[in-house]
Amino acid sequence: MSLCSQVNVSLLQECFDLGPFHGLCKPHPEDILKVPEEPSLQEGEDKSNQTSQETESVPSPNFEHVPDEDAAVQSSGAITVPHTELLPGDVKDFKGSATLLEAEEKGAFRPVYKGASNAFCIRLFLIDEKYETRSLDFLQYVFKVFPDKDFCVILVPHHVPEFLLIQSFVRAVPFCTSRFGQELYVFHRAGLLTSFNVRSATSNDLPGVQMLTETLSLNERILNDFRIFTLVRRDPDGNAVKAFVAEVLDQIVGISVIRDEMHTEYIRSHYNIEAFIHFNHHQQEEHGHLCHFVLNPIFHHYTKFFLKEMLRLAHKSSLYYPIYPQYVKGKFQTPCAHSLTSALHYMVPVRPRRQIVYPLEELGINAPSEQVSKDQLSYSLNHTNRKLVLESKVSVNTRIVVVGASDVGISFLETLVFWPHLLFNNLTLISTHGLPGKDPPGSRHGGFLINSHCFNDEDHAKMSLRSWVNVVVGKMTSINRAAKYVVVSKEEKVPYDYLVLCAGQQYQVPSPTGADIRKLPTNREVLSGWPQTYTGKVPSNHFTLNDNQDCAKAAQWLKEHIVGMEGNVIVYGNTVDIYTTVEALLSLGIAGSRIHLVQPPPSSNVTCLNNNELEGAVGQALVEAGVSVHWDSVLAQWGTGDDPDLITCAAFTTSTKPFQLQCSAFFSFAYRTVDYETFKAINDACLVFDGRLVIDTEFCTNDVSIRAAGPLTKYSRRYYVDEWTHSNFNSKEIGFELAASMLSLLDLTPQPSSVAQEGTDRLIPTYKGCKIKGGVLPGGYHYLHIAKPGIPIRLDLELALCDHGTEIITGEAREGNYFRVHINKYSMVDGITCFSKEPFPVSNYICLYGQHERLLNDLCYRWNQGQITDLYRFFREPWSMAIYHDQFIDLKEELRQALVSEQVPRPLPEDATESSPCPEPLWGPVLRFLRRHRHSLPMYYPARAPPSAGEAAATGPAGADSPAP
């Protein structure tokens, strides 16, 4: 081990949040530790406590209302100790999330330290692998060499995995735009103390707890819960409360408060918690709810021991910690308030489960319990248990920067965050509006655009990506491949080791053709150069909507300037978004007579709805609403009148004569393409761009450090598939496959290798996920279209194919009860179209895609027999609930394995089918599935199978499963 006493502390302070470590400096009377104009940063903070140097690292917004996603990023490990012989200050969560660029841009305060350097560094460390577990023994002698230094630091390259020595160090959180090329790990000499003791709290511990938490947000709530424990041991709801303290040399360095978890059935049904524990092996009272966890950062390496001792002393086997979304305020403030936890690093995020939408009226007494079916406030769930607390995650410090919060980008980040044994410390998202999901569920802002149904606001709340991902708000304007950084909004530089481009395509401002309508031009004369992107200043009443934030701004502008006033609203384009936007305008209270729907000449023979019956119903609804529709019209000019910032009129050419419309607001959905600034950044970086960013089958560009996916990309011409792009596939599946390709580079655990067949490197991958679009169309029609991935073709041409399959249609579009199911030649469902006046369970119907029609209660047979007259009612019947279950796919796979095994007998004679409806080996998996999920599928009664050796072998020994209801 080679040591050096010279440490460039000022450089480290610029690149890392060192507030928890007093900037690696000795205390000095002239230290500026707080914002001068604000006497107090946190509730209950003592202004005269400068001598003990107990301050927060970086002031952040007040998060005392709830432990929301931003709070989990900003201050989730806020911890202090008042005694100067231990470490004072605050620390962030050690998962690797840095401060947001939003805070940086607002000039967030950073402390100023005047004292001398209080740190030395390890420059070189080498040890025989056989003795690596004794690495920490060096530090006892190291601190004797530097008796005047309290901190030992070590710098490690990003690509180097954490070795045993630095697992006892604290990882300093880098600022989001830090270009420092290494990770900083810090160790305090007090961390060598081994007298770390965890015990149940007593009333005598109150002064020590007050001193520990006095600079923290929610410190009053921590103290209140601590007093409840010392006085009555129960909260006002009657739940048992337990508090524990960690002490070193008779000084309190940690405090935790837990309650009994009373919503275990809700957790079990809404989160995939059984990927970590078997609920049947745990008693109700063994589940605990972590409310507060505070630990001094210098003892961070004792966190797992603290958690383990908490579980032992509280007689708990599992702990749960929720993080609520950012928008939770008001009446939810009190029940949701938890202090932020530095233990998040040692907990695992739990994936949310897809929920069945139950037809409660049809099910009646067979409906699931209210604990399962009721709607609760969505939150992200984190978990640990006796087993997990003894396991270590593999920390990955590789800097991965994702550009674009598209469905592909969110799916990519979701896959990495929820990967079970890896912890990604340096995930960064660059997005114009940050992470999606900021609006409360049920917000109408998203009604302007068609929905891909990949993620909704509830999904974002249950993922809480902001707890694990740095967010840089801005637009990528350039890429420096040599220095490996991205320039955001022409100012900030965000470094990367791997850059992932998922920016997609956006609606662009169309440039008027400039045709003089006084000369009566036609489309034939102007279409040669159309469409082109507008390069001038965009008028303030011109809107291109690409995400919910754009929709929210447009809705607010319309309420202030259009609703209740006069003036026309022009909706220009020929995508399905024009219909959802017209419906959103009508729902805002804008009269249909003021709305003009102008459609340019189509660029494809496939219309946006691709169904004549649906188009007829929408057309009739537009006529009834008074909306004017103009066909084959190309924007020629827009006039600005006296105010150059407003469009006052717009002129269009047609195939006959031009026309002009007064305009108060202009919505453009004319065409999508790659954003110009994104294109310029890609092109200037010398990445191959051929209409779109060129990639290979492994998502690689011509730079091995830059990956890309989504509509932004196209396959290289060497594959001879110019018409096939990621736009033809499910974005969520693309994001998952992109993450899987990256994990093969980042996951250091041994993986079984597979040898690719010769020639397959020239074949593009096949994706199986369905393409989905849905929304509310004019007339209040709820629309959903589920189709197989591929190049769309006109429906009438598809119906004319000899191997098209079977079409099952009930209802009529104009009546608002249209339901179409397409069964392909293999008897599989590969197309669904719903068009209804009433809302319907979209998530249920998505589960029907890819199912065999026999599995759907003999769908074709019943249709041919005339037994099905309403598919909406048919798919609400109790028999279908199991198909909507998120784990039904596992049952199908288990049954398939049983059928292909040699143990399955040949089909029985017809006279024996009544007594034995299915082969014996199929009984066991079905019964186990129904028993395991009896809480969510109570409408099935899993009666016992006829006793036989086959069932006994399938179901296993007695006691392996809970008894049937």
Side-chain angles (χ1 to χ4, degrees), residues 604-616 773 783 785-788 791-809 813 818-823 830-834:
S604 169
N605 62 352
V606 180
T607 60
C608 58
L609 295 178
N610 197 19
N611 189 308
N612 292 334
E613 187 171 354
L614 270 57
E615 291 169 355
K773 58 182 179 181
Y783 169 69
H785 182 64
I786 304 172
K788 64 180 180 181
I791 302 172
I793 63 174
R794 281 171 43 189
L795 181 59
D796 55 345
L797 298 179
E798 185 180 350
L799 295 174
L801 298 176
C802 59
D803 58 349
H804 174 67
T806 305
E807 294 276 331
I808 299 178
I809 300 176
Y818 179 90
F819 199 126
R820 169 184 172 267
V821 176
H822 174 225
I823 310 295
D830 75 348
I832 298 173
T833 304
C834 300

Side-chain angles (χ1 to χ4, degrees), residues 349 351 400-419 424 426-431 434-436 455 460 463-466 468-471 500 502 731-732 734-736 738-740 742-743:
R351 278 187 179 273
I400 302 175
V401 176
V402 180
V403 178
S406 61
D407 289 337
V408 174
I410 296 300
S411 177
F412 172 80
L413 291 171
E414 176 199 26
T415 305
L416 296 186
V417 165
F418 286 96
W419 204 256
F424 291 89
N426 282 323
L427 295 177
T428 302
L429 173 69
I430 300 174
S431 175
L435 277 168
F455 300 98
H460 291 295
M463 289 189 298
S464 184
L465 290 181
R466 198 152 193 162
W468 308 96
V469 179
N470 303 314
V471 180
V500 181
C502 304
S731 296
K732 193 171 184 179
I734 293 290
F736 174 82
L738 172 62
M742 291 286 292
L743 285 168

Side-chain angles (χ1 to χ4, degrees), residues 595-912:
I595 302 174
H596 291 264
L597 183 58
V598 183
Q599 299 193 30
S603 58
S604 169
N605 62 352
V606 180
T607 60
C608 58
L609 295 178
N610 197 19
N611 189 308
N612 292 334
E613 187 171 354
L614 270 57
E615 291 169 355
V618 171
Q620 181 180 0
L622 291 172
V623 172
E624 293 175 354
V627 177
S628 301
V629 181
H630 309 269
W631 303 94
D632 293 337
S633 304
V634 177
L635 178 64
Q637 298 175 355
W638 61 43
T640 56
D642 297 332
D643 189 350
D645 191 42
L646 292 175
I647 300 175
T648 57
C649 64
F652 301 87
T653 59
T654 66
S655 56
T656 54
K657 62 179 181 178
F659 65 94
Q660 182 171 310
L661 298 173
Q662 185 275 333
C663 178
S664 297
F666 193 102
F667 288 83
S668 177
F669 302 97
Y671 72 106
R672 277 193 183 104
T673 189
V674 178
D675 179 75
Y676 174 74
E677 289 186 340
T678 302
F679 158 73
K680 190 174 186 304
I682 292 172
N683 191 64
D684 291 348
C686 296
L687 297 175
V688 179
F689 194 92
D690 182 15
R692 303 186 189 191
L693 180 58
V694 175
I695 60 171
D696 61 13
T697 56
E698 295 296 327
F699 306 97
C700 297
T701 64
N702 56 302
D703 187 324
V704 294
S705 300
I706 301 179
R707 308 294 175 101
L712 169 68
T713 65
K714 63 171 291 186
Y715 288 114
S716 172
R717 289 182 182 267
R718 70 174 181 265
Y719 298 110
Y720 298 97
V721 285
D722 288 351
E723 69 278 8
W724 285 90
T725 68
H726 287 174
S727 302
N728 304 122
F729 304 110
N730 183 284
S731 296
K732 193 171 184 179
E733 185 180 11
I734 293 290
F736 174 82
E737 294 296 336
L738 172 62
S741 68
M742 291 286 292
L743 285 168
S744 63
L745 302 174
L746 304 172
D747 192 351
L748 301 179
T749 56
Q751 299 289 342
S753 59
S754 58
V755 180
Q757 297 181 2
E758 185 178 357
T760 56
D761 59 330
R762 294 284 181 172
L763 300 177
I764 65 170
T766 57
Y767 301 101
K768 299 180 180 179
C770 56
K771 289 279 291 181
I772 308 167
K773 58 182 179 181
V776 182
L777 307 185
Y781 293 108
H782 295 265
Y783 169 69
L784 173 68
H785 182 64
I786 304 172
K788 64 180 180 181
I791 302 172
I793 63 174
R794 281 171 43 189
L795 181 59
D796 55 345
L797 298 179
E798 185 180 350
L799 295 174
L801 298 176
C802 59
D803 58 349
H804 174 67
T806 305
E807 294 276 331
I808 299 178
I809 300 176
T810 62
E812 296 182 3
R814 294 178 187 268
E815 298 295 329
N817 58 357
Y818 179 90
F819 199 126
R820 169 184 172 267
V821 176
H822 174 225
I823 310 295
N824 65 17
K825 61 181 179 180
Y826 302 109
S827 299
M828 308 291 286
V829 176
D830 75 348
I832 298 173
T833 304
C834 300
F835 194 80
S836 172
K837 283 282 190 179
E838 301 294 330
F840 45 78
V842 174
S843 60
N844 286 2
Y845 293 162
I846 294 175
C847 299
L848 301 176
Y849 176 82
Q851 305 288 2
H852 196 281
E853 60 88 13
R854 292 289 301 276
L855 195 61
L856 304 180
N857 209 2
D858 279 336
L859 177 62
C860 288
Y861 173 79
R862 294 177 183 274
W863 168 255
N864 293 330
Q865 295 296 315
Q867 299 177 12
I868 300 176
T869 58
D870 185 355
L871 284 172
Y872 289 102
R873 185 172 66 246
F874 181 71
F875 290 120
R876 284 198 306 267
E877 294 176 359
W879 64 265
S880 63
M881 296 298 110
I883 297 173
Y884 307 143
H885 198 279
D886 65 318
Q887 296 183 13
F888 182 72
I889 186 174
D890 298 329
L891 173 63
K892 284 177 57 181
E893 181 61 24
E894 189 174 0
L895 295 177
R896 191 187 71 84
Q897 294 292 340
L899 285 172
V900 300
S901 67
E902 297 179 358
Q903 300 178 1
V904 177
R906 294 183 178 275
L908 298 174
E910 294 184 2
D911 56 354

Side-chain angles (χ1 to χ4, degrees), residues 25 57 71 118 149 174 191 388 452 462 604 739 781 801 816 834 859 871 954:
C25 295
S57 55
N118 194 25
K149 306 285 187 180
L388 291 175
S452 67
K462 290 184 175 181
S604 169
Y781 293 108
L801 298 176
C834 300
L859 177 62
L871 284 172

Side-chain angles (χ1 to χ4, degrees), residues 268-285:
R268 185 179 185 182
S269 60
H270 285 73
Y271 299 88
N272 192 25
I273 190 64
E274 292 194 273
F276 304 101
I277 62 172
H278 294 286
F279 253 79
N280 293 337
H281 298 168
H282 300 262
Q283 300 296 326
Q284 170 68 36
E285 60 272 12

Side-chain angles (χ1 to χ4, degrees), residues 444-451 507 545 551 571 575-588 597 608-609 618 622 669 672 773-778 781-783:
R444 291 286 297 171
H445 296 156
F448 282 88
L449 298 176
I450 206 71
N451 193 343
Y507 286 114
L545 308 181
C551 297
V571 181
T575 65
V576 70
D577 290 312
I578 62 174
Y579 294 128
T580 53
T581 297
V582 168
E583 174 61 20
L585 295 174
L586 292 172
S587 65
L588 287 174
L597 183 58
C608 58
L609 295 178
V618 171
L622 291 172
F669 302 97
R672 277 193 183 104
K773 58 182 179 181
V776 182
L777 307 185
Y781 293 108
H782 295 265
Y783 169 69

